[in-house]
């Protein structure tokens, strides 16, 4: 599948997803579980993927607009986006 075919699968406001660094990765990576040091280590792994992502800003904006309560989006955790884990 080429990029144009993939872009056709998303509507115009979600077309950025085609270029996401996480595209095709296991989504569990971006919904880390655990507590304390274990949770922070898992979050950091996901955030490292986001650091290299050319569409991290669009991802953060989408998480805010949805609103997406859970997971790492655009390099931000739930708490960093203003959500409580409770």
């Amino acid at each position: 599948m080429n990029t144009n075919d993939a872009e056709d699968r998303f509507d115009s406001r979600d077309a950025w997803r085609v270029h996401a660094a996480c595209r095709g990765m296991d989504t569990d990576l971006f919904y880390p579980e655990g507590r304390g040091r274990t949770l922070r280590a898992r979050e950091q792994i996901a955030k490292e993927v986001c650091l290299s992502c050319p569409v991290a800003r669009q991802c953060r904006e989408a998480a805010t607009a949805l609103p997406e309560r859970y997971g790492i989006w655009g390099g931000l955790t739930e708490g960093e986006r203003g959500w409580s884990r409770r």
Side-chain angles (χ1 to χ4, degrees), residues 20-86:
C22 63
R23 185 168 170 80
M25 297 179 97
D26 185 349
T27 57
D28 286 348
L29 175 65
F30 300 92
Y31 295 89
E33 296 181 4
R35 293 184 184 173
R37 187 178 304 168
T38 300
L39 176 61
R40 287 189 300 278
R42 291 176 178 166
E43 288 173 342
Q44 188 57 41
I45 293 168
K47 287 179 170 195
E48 287 176 15
V49 173
C50 298
L51 280 174
S52 67
C53 186
V55 293
R57 179 183 54 81
Q58 292 94 323
C59 183
R60 284 189 297 273
E61 290 170 357
T64 301
L66 287 173
E68 182 59 52
R69 182 171 179 178
Y70 301 103
I72 309 284
W73 286 71
L76 299 178
T77 65
E78 298 98 336
E80 292 165 338
R81 292 192 319 274
W83 292 99
S84 171
R85 282 181 96 35
R86 290 186 177 172

